Amino acid sequence: MRPLGSRLETNLDKAFSELVRRRSGGVCALSKVFPKICKSPHNDWKYGMDNSHTLVGRRNKATRYCEDNCDALCKGCHRKVEESALLAYDFKLKQLGEEGMARLTKQKNKIVKRTIDDKKELLIKLQKELDSERENDNNWGE
């Protein structure tokens, strides 16, 4: 059996990914900034979208659950930004602006070591946000 911290991180990853993809409304974030690059701008958020750690990879604990760094991208655009650091940078710069990029860079340079209690607290927060998003799904159109 895996250690509790590892299981918590898996649950955090799943919750955060779902939150980012749900909030996208099924629209690829790259298509909003560079419409000519994206070949499939509208997708099912459950299966057709990925949570991309666009500029800073998910290994960086300080930005792993940072909404400025993460985007819901269609699978094709996710591959494109992973293969081109220049495209990822241009995309985030256009999306966040100079101020947002400075904020993301500052966050990226922090040293973050989450304890089990930190992970539990973050998971509770993400679950509350997800519950709210899911409730909005059920009330849609009312």
Side-chain angles (χ1 to χ4, degrees), residues 28-47:
C28 177
L30 194 70
S31 74
K32 295 175 184 176
V33 177
F34 296 121
K36 292 182 180 178
I37 291 177
C38 182
K39 302 297 182 211
S40 58
H42 301 283
N43 297 278
D44 175 9
W45 68 264
K46 287 182 184 178
Y47 307 109

Side-chain angles (χ1 to χ4, degrees), residues 68-134:
D68 279 348
N69 184 50
C70 294
D71 297 282
L73 299 179
C74 70
K75 299 205 180 279
C77 287
H78 191 193
R79 189 185 73 253
K80 288 173 189 171
V81 298
E82 281 187 345
E83 291 173 355
S84 174
L86 185 57
L87 175 61
Y89 181 85
D90 287 346
F91 166 55
K92 292 311 282 186
L93 180 59
K94 209 163 191 177
Q95 184 188 52
L96 299 175
E98 293 286 341
E99 196 174 296
M101 289 293 278
R103 186 176 58 242
L104 181 57
T105 300
K106 186 176 179 180
Q107 180 67 29
K108 173 186 84 134
N109 291 329
K110 289 182 181 178
I111 296 172
V112 172
K113 294 185 179 183
R114 289 187 178 88
T115 64
I116 287 177
D117 288 339
D118 294 338
K119 291 176 184 181
K120 285 179 182 177
E121 187 177 316
L122 181 56
L123 185 57
I124 289 168
K125 176 184 174 275
L126 290 176
Q127 286 295 347
K128 285 180 183 176
E129 290 181 42
L130 262 178
D131 289 345
S132 177
E133 292 289 327
R134 290 173 181 148

Side-chain angles (χ1 to χ4, degrees), residues 47-58:
Y47 307 109
M49 308 286 288
D50 291 332
N51 173 32
S52 171
H53 293 75
T54 309
L55 197 59
V56 183
R58 62 193 296 264

